[in-house]
């Protein structure tokens, strides 16, 4: 097999990280449903436990099916290594908890997925990991929020729910100037649309529950380590720089210089905290990824057509989809996502919140549910659901008002989607 990193994207999506099974010749990645793996000797067992050699021991920390998914997504993102976890939410949590200890801070985009904002508030209140929200979305706004206690910068590549495309290179330049790792949540783009590491990101996270899995069947998350950030700062990143007494003084940065952040996430995040991904979910996600490049093309084309239809409709007040000509953020779309800014976006009706609710209830084909990025088209009212737990000012910063409707456009024939939207709009006064 050629080296995964030299293959082109669509080939990687099908082949990277998984070869025919050496034991049986099975062409599809087998699902290894086993908690434990038999050791050859007590020495081997001790070596694996001490991290002196790699190998499978217990599926909470690593499993062959999950490892195939990790290798595939690492190849797609151009990362050195990846760690799969139980959900996108645990991916974001483990990144923050691995990077920082109590009393340290990170600069975060004010415009983030509601679940991430809620998590950040809780980690602040209970564990004193302090988010410093930028005042705006420009690189200067991120820079202005940095203090001596800042340990990372966190943002999304394309923002859930309003499809804003972030200036990743501008923010990466700020991060580099201040010696901080840049963490990008790439869920809404998927590596088919944006590979943040190519634009300067150091850590990439995903909810694989969305485009990567693609069919809305399984919850999962992943953390990718670009492997090039210089962690060598004695006063910070202690899981990477300081000896682990319970691993005979292991210093992660010295033993694993190519992928120290991924190793720290696995040791602390999976061995200690424990939110591992099931091999079954890894298998389903791998299967989904095989068609990712094709699906993303159609997701983008359908979303553009639906957004254009809505923009011209007399009952529609505004559409937030920067993939349309003349929309704010058009330049960033051209620069980072020429294929289009994904298929999740928001819009509002002139009739405000009552019309938004009536519209969602009037849809037949498009499902009223809270996932995104799956092959079926979906609609939700974020202010009363996904963004409900936020304070009004946080909701406003995240671009969610009472009048906002979020759509996730799927792969159906676009004429049927527009017909469904048309009949739901016709029911409004
Ligand atoms: C859905 C989502 C998450 C959380 O992922 P889960 O798999 O639902 O836990 C995190 N970030 C973004 C941008 C998301 O859309």
């Amino acid at each position: 097999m050629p080296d995964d990193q030299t293959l082109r994207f669509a080939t990687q999506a099908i082949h990277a990280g998984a070869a025919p099974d050496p034991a049986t010749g099975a062409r599809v990645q087998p699902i290894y449903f086993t908690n434990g793996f038999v050791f050859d000797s007590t020495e081997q067992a001790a070596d694996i436990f001490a991290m002196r050699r790699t190998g499978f021991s217990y599926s909470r920390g690593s499993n062959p099916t999950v490892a195939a998914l990790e290798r595939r997504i690492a190849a797609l993102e151009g990362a050195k290594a990846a760690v799969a976890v139980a959900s996108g939410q645990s991916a974001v949590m483990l990144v923050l908890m691995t990077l920082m200890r109590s009393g340290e801070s990170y600069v975060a985009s004010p415009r983030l997925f509601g679940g991430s904002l809620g998590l950040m508030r809780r980690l602040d209140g209970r564990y004193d990991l302090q988010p410093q929200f930028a005042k705006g979305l420009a690189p200067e706004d991120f820079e202005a929020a940095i203090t001596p206690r800042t340990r990372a910068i966190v943002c999304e590549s394309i923002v859930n729910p309003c499809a804003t495309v972030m200036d990743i290179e501008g923010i990466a330049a700020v991060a580099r100037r201040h010696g901080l790792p840049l963490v990008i949540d790439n869920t809404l783009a998927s590596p088919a649309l944006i590979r943040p590491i190519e634009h300067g990101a150091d850590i990439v996270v995903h909810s694989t529950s969305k485009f990567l899995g693609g069919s809305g069947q399984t919850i999962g998350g992943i953390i990718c380590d670009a492997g090039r950030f210089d962690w060598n700062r004695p006063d910070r990143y202690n899981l990477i720089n300081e000896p682990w007494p319970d691993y005979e003084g292991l210093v992660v940065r010295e033993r694993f210089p190519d992928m120290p952040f991924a190793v720290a996430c696995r040791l602390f995040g999976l061995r200690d905290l424990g939110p591992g991904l099931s091999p079954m979910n890894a298998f389903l996600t791998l299967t989904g990824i095989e068609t990712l490049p094709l699906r993303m093309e159609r997701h983008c084309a359908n979303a553009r057509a639906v957004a254009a239809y809505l923009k011209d409709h007399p009952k529609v007040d505004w559409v937030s989809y920067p993939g349309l000509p003349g929309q704010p953020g058009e330049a960033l779309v051209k620069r980072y996502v020429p294929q289009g800014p994904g298929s999740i976006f928001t819009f509002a009706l002139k009739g405000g919140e009552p019309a938004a609710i009536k519209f969602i209830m009037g849809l037949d084909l498009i499902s009223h549910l809270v996932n995104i990025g799956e092959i079926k088209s979906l609609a939700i009212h974020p202010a009363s659901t996904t963004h409900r737990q936020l304070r009004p000012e946080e909701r406003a910063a995240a671009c969610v008002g009472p009048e906002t409707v979020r759509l996730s456009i799927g792969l159906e024939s676009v004429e049927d989607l527009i017909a469904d939207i048309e009949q739901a709009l016709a029911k409004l006064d």
Side-chain angles (χ1 to χ4, degrees):
M1 283 292 285
D3 177 18
D4 286 346
Q5 298 283 1
T6 66
L7 297 171
R8 287 173 182 76
F9 191 81
T11 317
Q12 287 177 330
I14 296 171
H15 291 282
D21 181 40
T24 63
R27 188 62 193 89
V28 172
Q29 170 61 45
I31 307 170
Y32 287 95
F33 262 133
T34 180
N35 294 354
F37 300 84
V38 175
F39 299 119
D40 297 333
S41 65
T42 51
E43 288 78 18
Q44 186 210 18
D47 282 350
I48 292 175
F49 266 77
M51 299 293 288
R52 283 193 296 262
R53 78 158 94 168
T54 55
F56 297 108
S57 58
Y58 188 62
S59 282
R60 174 167 14 89
S62 59
N63 167 283
T65 313
V66 178
L69 175 70
E70 292 169 341
R71 288 191 297 266
R72 180 155 311 164
I73 297 180
L76 293 177
E77 287 290 5
K80 280 279 163 39
V83 180
V85 294
S87 65
Q89 204 64 16
S90 38
V92 177
M93 175 189 76
L94 290 187
V95 164
L96 296 176
M97 293 187 68
T98 303
L99 283 171
M100 283 165 290
R101 51 185 155 188
S102 301
E104 296 182 318
S105 323
Y106 56 100
V107 171
S109 167
R111 208 175 279 182
L112 289 173
F113 164 62
S116 299
L117 291 168
L119 168 68
M120 288 173 172
R121 196 160 75 204
R122 216 87 60 203
L123 288 178
D124 186 13
R126 291 181 66 82
Y127 302 106
D128 200 23
L129 305 178
Q130 304 151 0
Q132 305 157 306
F133 289 105
K135 292 270 183 293
L137 302 183
E140 309 83 81
D141 298 312
F142 284 78
E143 187 151 38
I146 293 172
T147 71
R149 277 178 303 137
T150 306
R151 297 292 177 264
I153 298 181
V154 182
C155 71
E156 292 170 14
S157 51
I158 300 178
V159 177
N160 182 356
C162 53
T164 306
V165 176
M166 299 295 291
D167 181 3
I168 303 172
E169 285 174 17
I171 299 168
V174 169
R176 249 193 324 278
R177 255 200 311 282
H178 293 266
L180 299 168
L182 174 62
V183 181
I184 299 276
D185 182 336
N186 198 30
T187 300
L188 266 74
S190 91
L193 299 184
I194 301 182
R195 282 174 295 286
I197 290 171
E198 291 175 1
H199 300 293
D202 301 293
I203 297 164
V204 176
V205 299
H206 282 279
S207 163
T208 61
S209 324
K210 317 290 174 56
F211 286 122
L212 287 166
S215 293
Q217 298 163 329
T218 54
I219 303 287
I222 199 149
I223 302 163
C224 303
D225 180 358
R228 62 174 176 219
F229 183 72
D230 181 7
W231 299 98
N232 194 358
R233 299 285 299 263
D235 53 331
R236 45 177 86 172
Y237 312 122
N238 65 313
L239 291 178
I240 292 170
N241 285 319
E242 288 175 15
W244 288 55
D246 43 349
Y247 285 82
E248 299 157 344
L250 166 74
V251 176
V252 169
R253 178 173 53 77
E254 288 168 1
R255 185 86 62 81
F256 303 96
D258 288 348
M259 51 184 88
F261 187 72
V263 172
C265 282
R266 192 177 301 284
L267 286 179
F268 171 59
L270 293 185
R271 282 201 187 177
D272 289 342
L273 297 178
L277 185 70
S278 153
M280 185 69 204
N281 288 4
F283 173 82
L284 290 168
T285 307
L286 270 171
T287 305
I289 288 173
E290 292 174 349
T291 56
L292 177 73
L294 275 177
R295 283 189 285 110
M296 293 313 290
E297 269 178 45
R298 179 73 168 263
H299 274 297
C300 289
N302 278 1
R304 189 180 304 112
V306 170
Y309 169 82
L310 284 169
K311 191 156 176 287
D312 288 341
H313 198 283
K315 290 183 183 171
V316 171
D317 190 10
W318 52 260
V319 177
S320 173
Y321 186 73
L324 294 179
Q327 284 266 339
E330 198 186 351
L332 290 169
V333 170
K334 288 216 170 87
R335 179 159 165 206
Y336 291 105
V337 268
Q339 274 200 70
S343 79
I344 292 119
F345 63 94
T346 50
F347 76 99
L349 294 156
K350 288 184 180 148
E353 182 172 16
I357 307 272
K358 199 166 171 196
F359 169 78
I360 292 170
M361 297 317 297
L363 292 166
D364 291 329
L365 186 62
I366 299 177
S367 304
H368 176 203
L369 70 81
V370 77
N371 200 30
I372 51 166
E374 54 174 270
I375 55 172
K376 298 187 179 74
S377 291
L378 315 169
I380 195 80
H381 182 240
S384 60
T385 58
T386 52
H387 288 65
R388 179 180 193 89
Q389 271 80 30
L390 304 181
R391 303 183 198 104
E393 64 277 14
E394 289 171 323
R395 269 206 290 275
C399 273
V400 169
E403 73 290 355
T404 306
V405 177
R406 180 182 75 186
L407 293 177
S408 173
I409 296 301
L411 307 186
E412 300 93 338
S413 299
V414 73
E415 296 81 359
D416 292 329
L417 295 177
I418 289 175
D420 192 35
I421 290 170
E422 192 162 31
Q423 65 80 28
L425 288 171
K427 292 178 195 159
L428 307 177
D429 312 322

